[in-house]
Amino acid sequence: MSITTKRTLLGVLTPSSNTALEPLTSSMLNNLPSVTSHFSRFRVTRISLDDRDLGQFNHTAPLEASDLLADARMDVIGWSGTAAGWLGFDHDVQLCQAIEARTGIRATSSILALNEVLNSMGVKRFGLVSPYTSDVQDCIIRNYQDIGIECVAESHLDLSENFSFSEVDEIALSRQVAAVAAKKPDAIVLYCTNLRSAHLASQWEQEFGIPVIDTTSAVVWKMLSMAGHNPAAVVGWGRFFQEASAHV
């Protein structure tokens, strides 16, 4: 058998109704030919604070999806979802610990990665862009207040059906970003992995002069670092790939 170049396999936990994060994640890695992304889904169809919808994020389903990624010998597993924003950040800490204990594979999440980026870049005031309902948005804002990061501007679309998030077009997203940019935050965060927004980060940074961090991109940044790669090799997806330092 011939010896091949060492591959890096990134396993990504994906909400079942998400159609944005898979193509975006794969595109981010285009310039890293030895790195590939592989996806495992579990059921998520609505985002709200109803008990039934909150229950989609109990650990059972993502752990079972992680088992399938473990079959393919992933180097890192990342939960590409934002539920910890309203459930509380400890939710993802506990999930990642459970994944690691169950599979023996190191794990992270979009929100744990995002929070590390914000800390590394010294962000204390941020602008929040999401498709969510006002009560979900308010929960996110309060959770960041609790860790000393102020939301100085926010824009949300009052949507709850997860599939609909991916149908928000560039015009609508740019309008949201412009609205929060007017308040001059330290950074703008696109807070949903089913928005088709990650590829637009550099465009918005050039227009507004403010770092743009997308949650789909944040988990890739962290997974690359955990797997021994320099995230700065990812160019054109937000300057945080070059400016934030991952602590692994």
Side-chain angles (χ1 to χ4, degrees):
M1 183 177 69
S2 62
I3 303 299
T4 60
T5 302
K6 173 67 170 70
R7 296 183 298 158
T8 296
L9 308 177
L10 303 181
V12 184
L13 295 171
T14 306
S16 60
S17 52
N18 188 309
T19 61
L21 77 82
E22 288 170 311
L24 289 167
T25 298
S26 296
S27 293
M28 270 179 242
L29 301 173
N30 277 345
N31 292 330
L32 298 170
S34 67
V35 182
T36 52
S37 50
H38 307 271
F39 304 90
S40 186
R41 290 173 178 256
F42 65 95
R43 177 152 287 124
V44 177
T45 59
R46 283 178 53 83
I47 300 301
S48 81
L49 300 184
D50 292 346
D51 288 344
R52 180 177 178 180
D53 294 335
L54 294 176
Q56 298 170 117
F57 301 103
N58 70 50
H59 289 175
T60 301
L63 285 174
E64 290 173 351
S66 296
D67 288 342
L68 302 181
L69 291 171
D71 287 348
R73 303 183 187 182
M74 296 295 109
D75 293 291
V76 180
I77 293 175
W79 158 223
S80 192
T82 55
W86 55 93
L87 292 173
F89 304 136
D90 282 347
H91 181 274
D92 276 7
V93 173
Q94 294 165 9
L95 174 61
C96 291
Q97 289 173 344
I99 291 170
E100 292 177 3
R102 183 175 176 122
T103 67
I105 299 170
R106 297 179 69 194
T108 188
S109 77
S110 293
I111 299 311
L112 297 181
L114 169 65
N115 292 353
E116 186 175 330
V117 169
L118 296 175
N119 180 63
S120 178
M121 296 181 70
V123 172
K124 295 299 182 184
R125 304 167 65 257
F126 79 110
L128 175 62
V129 172
S130 90
Y132 304 135
T133 55
S134 58
D135 54 352
V136 171
Q137 193 88 332
D138 288 344
C139 282
I140 296 169
I141 291 168
R142 286 196 298 271
N143 282 328
Y144 280 93
Q145 287 175 337
D146 288 345
I147 62 170
I149 302 177
E150 179 187 6
C151 178
V152 296
E154 66 86 20
S155 176
H156 62 282
L157 298 175
D158 275 318
L159 301 175
S160 57
E161 184 190 14
N162 196 63
F163 180 82
S164 70
F165 304 161
S166 64
E167 298 192 310
V168 179
D169 63 23
E170 180 178 339
I171 294 172
L173 289 169
S174 293
R175 189 180 301 121
Q176 287 186 276
V177 170
V180 301
K183 294 294 186 179
K184 304 296 182 184
D186 299 334
I188 297 169
V189 177
L190 279 294
Y191 213 100
C192 174
T193 65
N194 201 22
L195 291 176
R196 291 180 292 119
S197 51
H199 61 300
L200 302 171
S202 291
Q203 170 186 316
W204 290 324
E205 288 177 340
Q206 291 174 13
E207 183 173 357
F208 300 111
I210 299 169
V212 175
I213 307 160
D214 191 285
T215 47
T216 301
S217 307
V219 71
V220 173
W221 168 86
K222 182 61 175 180
M223 284 193 293
L224 284 172
S225 180
M226 292 171 71
H229 291 269
N230 184 354
V234 177
V235 177
W237 295 83
R239 68 197 217 199
F240 80 92
F241 274 101
Q242 289 73 47
E243 295 181 6
S245 300
H247 304 285
V248 297

